[in-house]
Amino acid sequence: MKYSNVEKDKEHFNVDTHEKLYLRLTAGSDWILPYIKDYLTKHNLTFKKGLEMGAGEGHLGLELLEEGFYKTMDFADINPLSEKYITKEIKDRGLEDKCRVFIGDTFENVPDTDYDNVICNPPHYQQPIQQAHSKEVGMGYMPFVASVDEDWKFRKSIFKDLNQYAKSFITLESVWGSSVQVLEYLMQDNQEIYHYEVLNKMWWVAHIKTI
């Protein structure tokens, strides 16, 4: 995956390495954080124990934790780089007693089974989008880098094991990628979409509960 204006991107996102820029862009946490915060606030949603799935560098989960939406927040990602950067951020923010990091495919190496909520900004598209700029998607001057959930494997894996690990799941979805019908097709019989909301012309959010 190639980026244009890498140094400008690093300055914009206040990151100091290409690795961290990659994690920040693929997780998409900067531009989706306000939408998630607004949704949680609007619906008066707070949780004791949270898990950010596909966490990247953990920016989304750490910000939500520090702003009081969660009492504790763990992080899971398949990329070993995530452990390096999330662990550093946890230490820098003094959150060692509230956070842990697990490296593996979705719930593969997550030891606990009592999460109140799993939150996720998943890969959205069937094919990469690399050059959609600000006038189209409202993200400053940075290129929009999207990762691919081929055959919805990432979502399928989450839904397969969700009931074993958590009471609920909040996912930010793209109107260009998935739909309510897609999620309902992928979900297990003992799961239901408790609520969904279209946030704007690009994003919608689903709040799924286990039955």
Side-chain angles (χ1 to χ4, degrees):
M1 185 177 292
K2 297 181 179 180
Y3 302 125
S4 61
N5 302 317
V6 171
E7 295 305 319
K8 191 174 182 180
D9 289 5
K10 287 165 62 179
E11 180 180 356
H12 175 82
F13 288 108
N14 192 29
V15 298
D16 55 1
T17 69
H18 289 197
E19 290 177 348
K20 195 168 184 180
L21 174 64
Y22 172 81
L23 293 173
R24 180 69 63 89
L25 286 172
T26 54
S29 52
D30 276 278
W31 51 75
I32 60 95
L33 178 62
Y35 301 126
I36 293 292
K37 286 169 54 178
D38 288 349
Y39 179 82
L40 295 176
T41 300
K42 178 180 178 180
H43 297 283
N44 196 29
L45 292 172
T46 57
F47 302 96
K48 289 183 180 180
K49 187 172 182 176
L51 172 69
E52 184 184 359
M53 184 63 67
E57 52 142 7
H59 184 71
L60 173 63
L62 288 168
E63 291 294 318
L64 294 177
L65 173 65
E66 289 195 318
E67 297 201 26
F69 293 103
Y70 295 82
K71 295 295 184 183
T72 66
M73 179 65 76
D74 292 338
F75 302 86
D77 200 287
I78 198 171
N79 190 339
L81 288 175
S82 292
E83 184 174 24
K84 171 183 175 181
Y85 286 104
I86 297 175
T87 300
K88 182 179 184 303
E89 281 294 317
I90 290 170
K91 183 177 180 180
D92 290 347
R93 299 182 189 219
L95 297 171
E96 293 94 332
D97 61 335
K98 296 183 177 181
C99 302
R100 296 173 298 171
V101 185
F102 310 116
I103 299 302
D105 189 5
T106 61
F107 294 106
E108 179 182 18
N109 290 318
V110 176
D112 295 356
T113 58
D114 60 345
Y115 289 99
D116 296 297
N117 178 253
V118 175
I119 194 159
C120 184
N121 176 36
H124 296 290
Y125 303 99
Q126 298 284 337
Q127 59 185 3
I129 299 174
Q130 293 184 344
Q131 294 297 328
H133 289 280
S134 59
K135 65 180 180 180
E136 299 173 62
V137 296
M139 288 183 268
Y141 294 98
M142 317 321 302
F144 177 49
V145 180
S147 51
V148 175
D149 187 10
E150 184 180 356
D151 192 33
W152 305 119
K153 290 180 182 177
F154 180 71
R155 287 167 175 79
K156 287 178 180 177
S157 180
I158 291 175
F159 287 132
K160 179 175 68 71
D161 295 324
L162 180 63
N163 286 55
Q164 179 182 343
Y165 288 89
K167 298 175 182 176
S168 66
F169 176 52
I170 292 176
T171 176
L172 185 76
E173 301 287 330
S174 169
V175 299
W176 301 338
S178 64
S179 65
V180 171
Q181 291 74 24
V182 167
L183 293 192
E184 288 179 334
Y185 172 75
L186 298 174
M187 288 162 52
Q188 304 291 304
D189 291 338
N190 52 2
Q191 298 161 2
E192 65 178 3
I193 296 180
Y194 174 74
H195 180 264
Y196 73 90
E197 183 174 326
V198 178
L199 305 179
N200 54 34
K201 64 182 181 180
M202 184 172 179
W203 301 112
W204 67 283
V205 65
H207 185 184
I208 294 159
K209 290 191 175 182
T210 57
I211 303 171

